[in-house]
């Protein structure tokens, strides 16, 4: 349970999503009721982490140094974005501005790169921002262009260094069979190994 406040009411949220403990183990960030909350462990009071109210917030993930985190946003009419938040100062930077349906943002160990997944939407939203799905790499300061590094895959994680990435690739050899492969992607030469 976590105390949350929305529309001026305070109550216990019973479904916390995307809970991530900070690298030093002292704090946890999670999404509840479309907003990100931060709580000191073990018995701190949760507090709203961001100030923005124009979009739902989801999929938070800490930087390796614990000073910032990345997360996705969602809004039905304008789609989503990926943002970076400096936890202590509250400074927020939109890293991926193009509308889309985004999940699983992760920062590289050196904090200079971002990997995320772009997915297709359901039947209720426009298909136009669901094209070119896959895993993408972007600068973690929001500069430059994004690059699709794999047409499919999920659960991308950087290795101990910032030049290797691991992710799961799914294939369907038949109508009733699914095959899951752990892939390693060398970001220097873009070679992929199963």
């Amino acid at each position: 349970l976590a105390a949350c406040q929305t529309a001026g009411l305070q109550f216990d949220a019973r479904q916390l999503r995307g809970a991530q403990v900070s690298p030093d183990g002292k704090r946890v960030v999670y999404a509840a009721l479309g907003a990100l909350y931060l709580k000191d462990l073990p018995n701190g009071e949760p507090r709203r982490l961001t100030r923005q109210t124009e979009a739902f917030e989801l999929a938070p993930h800490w930087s390796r140094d614990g000073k910032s985190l990345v997360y996705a946003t969602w809004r039905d009419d304008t789609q989503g974005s990926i943002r970076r938040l400096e936890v202590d100062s509250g400074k927020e930077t939109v890293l991926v501005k193009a509308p889309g349906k985004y999940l699983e943002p992760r920062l590289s160990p050196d904090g200079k790169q971002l990997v995320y997944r772009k997915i297709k939407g359901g039947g209720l939203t426009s298909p136009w921002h669901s094209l070119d799905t896959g895993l993408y790499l972007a600068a973690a300061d929001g500069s430059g262009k994004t690059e699709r590094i794999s047409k499919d895959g999920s659960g991308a994680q950087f290795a101990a260094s910032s030049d290797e990435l691991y992710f799961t690739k799914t294939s369907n050899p038949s109508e009733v069979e699914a095959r899951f492969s752990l892939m390693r992607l060398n970001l220097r030469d873009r070679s992929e190994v199963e």
Side-chain angles (χ1 to χ4, degrees):
L1 297 178
C4 294
Q5 185 169 352
T6 187
L9 302 172
Q10 185 162 339
F11 56 92
D12 289 336
R14 298 183 186 275
Q15 184 174 7
L16 310 181
R17 299 183 59 143
Q20 297 283 316
V21 176
S22 62
D24 65 6
K26 294 181 179 180
R27 300 182 285 184
V28 64
V29 64
Y30 57 86
L33 302 169
L36 295 184
Y37 288 85
L38 184 69
K39 178 181 175 180
D40 291 330
L41 295 175
N43 299 316
E45 284 296 316
R47 66 176 173 85
R48 175 80 193 269
L49 192 54
T50 62
R51 294 183 193 100
Q52 71 88 24
T53 58
E54 71 268 4
F56 289 119
E57 303 163 343
L58 60 139
H61 197 268
W62 290 96
S63 62
R64 299 243 175 134
D65 65 8
K67 293 180 180 178
S68 65
L69 54 89
V70 288
Y71 66 96
T73 64
W74 176 255
R75 186 176 157 143
D76 289 342
D77 58 347
T78 59
Q79 306 282 305
S81 67
I82 302 283
R83 301 178 185 202
R84 183 175 189 159
L85 178 73
E86 304 300 324
V87 177
D88 290 338
S89 71
K91 179 185 173 197
E92 190 173 75
T93 305
V94 179
L95 304 180
V96 180
K97 299 170 185 79
K101 297 158 184 74
Y102 304 118
L103 293 173
E104 303 169 354
R106 303 289 186 263
L107 288 167
S108 61
D110 63 9
K112 295 180 182 178
Q113 297 178 92
L114 166 77
V115 67
Y116 62 92
R117 182 165 61 121
K118 183 178 181 184
I119 62 170
K120 288 184 178 182
L124 298 176
T125 58
S126 167
W128 295 114
H129 301 297
S130 292
L131 305 174
D132 300 321
T133 61
L135 296 177
Y136 282 78
L137 193 64
D141 63 1
S143 66
K145 291 186 176 186
T146 61
E147 175 191 0
R148 184 165 66 168
I149 54 174
S150 179
K151 289 184 179 182
D152 52 13
S154 63
Q157 298 283 337
F158 282 93
S161 66
S162 297
D163 57 2
E164 281 190 329
L165 192 65
Y166 291 90
F167 63 94
T168 302
K169 190 177 264 190
T170 306
S171 59
N172 298 91
S174 72
E175 290 183 41
V176 294
E177 185 180 3
R179 182 174 187 266
F180 300 94
S181 302
L182 178 62
M183 307 299 294
R184 182 180 72 202
L185 177 65
N186 182 322
L187 294 174
R188 292 183 307 275
D189 63 11
R190 301 301 193 255
S191 61
E192 208 174 272
V193 177
E194 185 173 352

